[in-house]
Amino acid sequence: MINKFRFGNPIIQTDAVVNDLSLSTNSLSQGAVKSDWPFAFEYKMAKEDMIFGLGENVRGINKRGFHYTSWCSDKPGGNESDSSLYGAHNFIVIFGEKISGLYFDTPGKIEFDIGWTDYDTLTVKCDVEGIFLYEITSSEGEKSAALKDIVHQFRQMIGQSYIPPFWAFGFQQSRWGYRTEKDVREVVKKYRENKLPLDSVCLDIDYMEEFMDFTVDKAKFPAFKKLNEDMAKEGIHLIPIIDAGIKQKEGYEVYEEGKKAGYFCKKADGSNFVAAVWPGKCVFTDFFREDARKWFGSKYKALTDAGVEGFWNDMNEPALFYTEEGLKEAFDKFESFKGKELDINTFFEFTPVSGSTCNRLKDYQSFYHEVMDLNGKKVSVSHDKLHNMYGALMTKAAREGLNEIKKDRRTLLYSRASCIGSHRYGGIWMGDNLAWWNNLEMELKMLPSLNMCGFLYTGADIGGFGDSSSRDLVLRWLAFGVFTPLMRNHAAWNTRNQECYAFGQSEDFKSVLSLRYALLPYIYSEFIKASLKNDMMFRPLSFDYPEDKIARDIEDQLMLGNEVLVAPVYRQNAKGRFVYLPEDMIQVTWKNCQASQAPIEKGGHYIDIPEDTVVFFIKKGKSIPLCGKIAQTSRDVDYSSIIKLGDSSAGYELYSDDGFTTEISLKNIRTI
Ligand code: MIG
C-alpha cells in the first residue's frame, strides 16, 4: 500500500512519480514528521534495524551510521567521506520489525542523518518550501517477500526503467584522451588483433570542435560519417559525449539559435546566466521548459545523421568551474591577503580560495528556471531550489529527442547527474571514481541501492577513472563488470593506459571478457525482466535471506536475478576470497574461455580465484543460459549455441528480441 502525504507547499510536481495518487488521510506507519516546514522526519531505530536505498552514494548497502545529502555534485574521487555524489535518489527502506519504504519527493536539497549524530535516530530534513512524502508498506508476511514487494511497488510508482539496445550490453572502451580518428581506429584494431571482444568506443570531449556540443572537429575527424560506417562494419558503435554547457560563441549555430529563442537560463536581470566549463564561457539550457528540451533534444540529430546511436551526457549537475562573479570574489579575497603577513590561521583561509569558484551555491542561486507551479501557473524559480532535477531533465530532453529522431529503434543514453525519474529515460555511469581497490567495492554496494531507485543500466568506470590503474585491478574489476549492465573501461587523460591490451599479455583479459559475451543472453534477459516487472536485478543478500544472520550482514556479495550469486575479488594480491553461501549451490568456474561446474555446500568457503578466472554461483534447482560459442561483438552472439549451466532440468525464462525493437514485452520470453 502507498500513502501519499504533502508537507508545506511544494513548488512543483517533480518528474518522479507516474501514478496519480491522491493524498492520504492515514498517518505514517513508522516514524513521524516533526515539522511540516522546514520539513523534518524522524524515526527511532531499533538496535537491529537496517536502512537501505539512497542509490548512488558511498559506504554500506546498509546505510546506517552515516549521513547523506541529496545534492547532485561533481565529486570526483570515490571518497568515502563524500555525502553527495552525482545523483539524488531519495528513496529508503526501513528494515526492522516492521518494514516500510519512504520516498521524499523534492527537487531540492535534502539531508539524511542515518544514525550519524545519534546511532539510534534517523532524521530527514529539507528546507525547500514543501515536499511530497510517499510511504510504502506491504501486506506480505514473510520478510524477504515484503522487502521485494516494497521496492516493487515503489518502482511501479516511478515507472518502468529505461531499456537500451542489445549492443549496449557489449563491452565499451573509453578514455579521455582518444583525440583523433586514428586513435579510435587504433583502439579497435588492437582489440581485434588480440581477439578481445568489443562493442563500442566512447568519444570524450576531444572529438568536438572547441568543445562545442553537436559539432565534430574536422581536423581530427575529417570523415566522421565514414568512420561510423567503417566501425559499423566491424560491429563497433561510437558513443560521443555531450556536455551540459553550450559555448557562448557568436556564430555557433546552437548558441545563436538558443539565444534567439530564449532557451537559456536567465539571471534576475533577464540576461543569460554564463559560467565557464570546458568550452570556456557557457550558457545553460533551461531544461525545465518543454520547448527548450525539445529544441536541445532535436540537436542530437547532427550526430545521429552520421550514424551515431548512443550518447553519454556529462557535466549536467550542472558542474560550473567559475562565473565572473565568483572569480571576482575570489580575486578580491586574494587581494585582501596581499601585503599582509599571513599567520597560520589566515594561511588556511587563503589556500582554499582558488577552488572556491567551482559549483558555488551563490551561482546556483543566481539563475532561474521557468516552471509550472502546482496550480499550472508559470513561475520563475531560482536554480538552487530545483537543482537535483537539472541533469535528469537533460536526460529527458535527450531521450525525447532521440526517440523522435529514431522512431523505431532504441538508442543508448547514459548520464552523469540523475534524479529519480530520469531512470525512465536513460542509464547512468557512477561518475569519476579512482583506480583504487575500495572503489571497486564501492560499486558493488551502489548497484543494489541504485536498482532500488530504478537505475538498472549502470556501472562504474572499470579500472578506475582517476589515478593510474594496475593490471590486476583492471582484471578484477572486469571480472565484476562482466555482470553489470553498463560495462565500460574508462580513464582520465593524465593516467596510464588501461585498455585490455595495455598491459602486455592479454590472454587473461580475453578470458574474462569472453565470459561477458557468453553471458549476454542471461544479462540481457535479467535486465529486461527487471525493467518490465519493476524488480531489482541486483539485490543485497539480506533481501533474499533476511532471517540468516550471516547473510543479512554480507555486503561484498550480491544476488543477481533469481539464479546467481556473485562474489568478486576486490583486494590487491588476493588469490581468492571467502564466500558465504546461504544455501547449497553450484559453483561455476570460468577459465580459459570455458565453464566448469560443481556442487558446493551451504556455508563458508575459501575459493581460489586466479586473475584469469571468474567464479560465480547458481542456486540449486536453477539454471542459466550460456553461449557455447565465443563472440567478438554482441552482433555475433549466437543464441543457437546456448547451453544451460546449473540444474539443466530447471527451466530458464529467456528473453530475446532483435536487440533494438521498441516493442519490448514479456511475450518475448520463452522457457528453455
Ligand atoms: O571535468 O570529459 O565524468 O568521464 O572523461 C571532467 C572529460 C569532465 C567528467 C566525466 C569523465 C570525462 C571527463 N568529464
Side-chain angles (χ1 to χ4, degrees):
M1 186 169 77
I2 305 184
N3 281 312
K4 175 180 180 181
F5 307 96
R6 170 179 163 165
F7 302 99
N9 293 304
I11 312 173
I12 58 163
Q13 195 73 58
T14 70
D15 192 34
V17 175
V18 295
N19 291 354
D20 198 12
L21 300 168
S22 39
L23 291 177
S24 165
T25 51
N26 299 341
S27 48
L28 284 167
S29 84
Q30 303 208 82
V33 170
K34 296 280 171 183
S35 155
D36 277 21
W37 188 76
F39 175 80
F41 167 87
E42 187 180 291
Y43 168 70
K44 285 283 171 203
M45 294 182 280
K47 200 160 162 273
E48 302 280 305
D49 285 5
M50 298 168 99
I51 309 293
F52 301 117
L54 293 184
E56 186 181 28
N57 263 304
V58 298
R59 302 208 180 199
I61 295 177
N62 176 4
K63 290 266 165 293
R64 188 165 179 175
F66 199 60
H67 61 103
Y68 300 89
T69 302
S70 288
W71 182 257
C72 297
S73 306
D74 179 4
K75 273 279 176 61
N79 187 330
E80 199 167 85
S81 51
D82 281 337
S83 50
S84 324
L85 295 176
Y86 305 86
H89 308 141
N90 308 333
F91 175 60
I92 58 171
V93 175
I94 300 177
F95 175 34
E97 248 334 285
K98 281 208 272 181
I99 308 176
S100 61
L102 291 165
Y103 174 53
F104 301 86
D105 191 7
T106 170
K109 183 188 259 180
I110 179 163
E111 292 174 274
F112 298 80
D113 182 327
I114 310 182
W116 161 257
T117 306
D118 164 29
Y119 193 69
D120 296 327
T121 311
L122 161 69
T123 55
V124 182
K125 287 187 177 158
C126 175
D127 54 15
V128 181
E129 275 81 344
I131 191 168
F132 288 106
L133 170 62
Y134 297 82
E135 187 190 43
I136 307 172
T137 53
S138 175
S139 55
E140 295 284 349
E142 205 253 317
K143 282 182 181 151
S144 172
L147 281 165
K148 291 176 189 166
D149 177 45
I150 283 168
V151 173
H152 172 77
Q153 289 184 60
F154 174 63
R155 291 272 307 280
Q156 205 164 36
M157 178 175 99
I158 59 171
Q160 196 196 303
S161 301
Y162 160 71
I163 299 177
F166 183 65
W167 63 265
F169 293 84
F171 179 60
Q172 302 173 23
Q173 181 60 55
S174 183
R175 179 175 177 81
W176 181 9
Y178 303 151
R179 290 174 180 277
T180 62
E181 164 171 341
K182 199 170 143 250
D183 290 347
V184 172
R185 289 188 188 271
E186 184 73 10
V187 171
V188 175
K189 195 171 141 235
K190 292 227 174 100
Y191 266 90
R192 292 289 177 255
E193 274 171 12
N194 289 286
K195 300 262 178 306
L196 295 159
L198 181 71
D199 261 83
S200 308
V201 178
C202 296
L203 302 179
D204 210 316
I205 48 176
D206 295 305
Y207 81 88
M208 292 184 245
E209 191 184 323
E210 293 177 58
F211 305 138
M212 290 186 291
D213 279 345
F214 313 115
T215 70
V216 175
D217 188 323
K218 294 213 175 56
K220 296 187 246 165
F221 291 84
F224 190 61
K225 192 166 182 199
K226 170 83 169 31
L227 176 65
N228 279 279
E229 283 163 8
D230 290 352
M231 290 292 122
K233 281 180 208 145
E234 296 250 11
I236 299 284
H237 283 84
L238 299 184
I239 308 172
I241 195 171
I242 299 292
D243 278 7
I246 291 175
K247 189 176 175 76
Q248 185 188 38
K249 184 184 170 173
E250 267 175 49
Y252 164 39
E253 197 185 297
V254 180
Y255 170 68
E256 296 289 356
E257 264 181 37
K259 186 173 76 169
K260 194 159 158 229
Y263 291 145
F264 303 133
C265 297
K266 305 212 174 29
K267 298 204 288 188
D269 66 4
S271 65
N272 285 338
F273 169 74
V274 177
V277 209
W278 292 111
K281 299 267 174 67
C282 284
V283 290
F284 297 83
T285 306
D286 186 357
F287 291 115
F288 285 82
R289 285 174 54 172
E290 201 181 333
D291 54 356
R293 276 205 304 276
K294 208 164 173 186
W295 167 75
F296 191 89
S298 72
K299 294 287 135 196
Y300 284 78
K301 193 163 183 298
L303 295 156
T304 54
D305 279 350
V308 171
E309 292 188 290
F311 295 90
W312 49 312
N313 284 347
D314 190 19
M315 307 297 275
N316 49 0
E317 293 72 28
L320 309 176
F321 293 166
Y322 62 86
T323 58
E324 279 305 325
E325 293 80 357
L327 270 189
K328 185 172 180 310
E329 272 187 38
F331 280 126
D332 287 350
K333 188 92 192 163
F334 271 127
E335 279 292 321
S336 75
F337 291 107
K338 201 172 172 182
K340 283 191 198 145
E341 203 158 312
L342 292 188
D343 62 19
I344 204 67
N345 294 317
T346 41
F347 175 74
F348 285 110
E349 273 174 45
F350 167 78
T351 43
V353 173
S354 61
S356 67
T357 65
C358 293
N359 310 317
R360 294 193 318 160
L361 179 60
K362 261 195 180 168
D363 290 328
Y364 290 139
Q365 286 164 335
S366 76
F367 65 98
Y368 293 80
H369 297 295
E370 208 177 86
V371 295
M372 293 292 181
D373 70 8
L374 290 186
N375 303 315
K377 218 180 97 208
K378 218 192 254 176
V379 288
S380 181
V381 178
S382 63
H383 172 85
D384 56 303
K385 294 180 179 167
L386 306 169
H387 175 73
N388 288 337
M389 276 179 75
Y390 188 80
L393 290 176
M394 180 188 181
T395 309
K396 182 174 187 171
R399 167 56 44 222
E400 289 174 348
L402 289 168
N403 285 355
E404 187 60 35
I405 300 164
K406 297 260 170 202
K407 286 212 172 55
D408 316 314
R409 292 174 81 80
R410 268 131 64 191
T411 47
L412 173 59
L413 178 63
Y414 50 95
S415 165
R416 193 170 72 175
S418 65
C419 181
I420 289 177
S422 66
H423 68 285
R424 300 195 300 275
Y425 313 118
I428 54 173
W429 85 99
M430 296 171 185
D432 294 348
N433 60 4
L434 291 176
W436 293 6
W437 289 89
N438 70 0
N439 274 222
L440 162 53
E441 187 186 349
M442 203 177 275
E443 176 186 17
L444 176 80
K445 293 177 186 182
M446 265 188 221
L447 263 184
S449 314
L450 278 168
N451 278 197
M452 286 176 212
C453 298
F455 293 91
L456 297 182
Y457 188 76
T458 186
D461 287 349
I462 290 174
F465 174 76
D467 288 347
S468 285
S469 204
S470 57
R471 183 178 189 275
D472 55 343
L473 180 54
V474 178
L475 262 176
R476 294 302 198 188
W477 212 321
L478 284 167
F480 178 57
V482 154
F483 301 101
T484 62
L486 167 59
M487 185 189 190
R488 180 177 82 148
N489 177 333
H490 180 48
W493 64 276
N494 54 352
T495 64
R496 169 188 190 186
N497 276 76
Q498 63 184 43
E499 293 81 5
C500 295
Y501 51 75
F503 301 95
Q505 200 270 92
S506 61
E507 282 301 305
D508 296 353
F509 290 85
K510 183 179 152 191
S511 177
V512 172
L513 273 179
S514 63
L515 173 59
R516 168 60 163 215
Y517 283 78
L519 279 179
L520 268 184
Y522 179 61
I523 303 292
Y524 190 58
S525 291
E526 288 311 309
F527 182 95
I528 293 199
K529 285 187 276 180
S531 171
L532 292 178
K533 297 180 181 179
N534 297 309
D535 285 333
M536 291 159 74
M537 180 170 167
F538 292 95
R539 291 179 308 281
L541 267 60
S542 47
F543 272 55
D544 286 38
Y545 308 97
E547 312 285 358
D548 180 326
K549 281 247 178 301
I550 301 173
R552 253 173 70 108
D553 276 350
I554 288 186
E555 297 215 339
D556 63 354
Q557 304 176 190
L558 292 175
M559 305 309 298
L560 161 54
N562 291 320
E563 299 80 17
V564 167
L565 182 151
V566 293
V569 175
Y570 58 93
R571 294 273 181 252
Q572 186 175 351
N573 293 318
K575 307 282 182 287
R577 59 163 287 171
F578 282 99
V579 174
Y580 174 75
L581 302 178
E583 56 179 301
D584 291 351
M585 295 198 181
I586 290 165
Q587 179 181 332
V588 179
T589 305
W590 179 264
K591 195 181 177 66
N592 296 331
C593 305
Q594 270 178 344
S596 59
Q597 47 181 342
I600 178 166
E601 271 175 23
K602 164 184 171 141
H605 301 268
Y606 182 84
I607 313 277
D608 290 321
I609 312 174
E611 274 171 13
D612 66 346
T613 302
V614 188
V615 168
F616 60 95
F617 304 89
I618 301 178
K619 284 186 182 176
K620 216 172 164 182
K622 301 278 184 194
S623 72
I624 69 163
L626 184 90
C627 285
K629 272 199 217 140
I630 299 301
Q632 293 294 298
T633 65
S634 61
R635 189 176 66 178
D636 307 333
V637 168
D638 181 359
Y639 274 69
S640 72
S641 77
I642 286 178
I643 53 161
K644 275 160 73 185
L645 279 180
D647 180 347
S648 58
S649 67
Y652 175 75
E653 288 192 341
L654 182 76
Y655 175 94
S656 64
D657 61 16
D658 59 15
F660 56 82
T661 175
T662 54
E663 309 274 313
I664 310 161
S665 99
L666 294 172
K667 280 190 229 129
N668 296 335
I669 292 180
R670 65 197 154 91
T671 303
I672 58 162

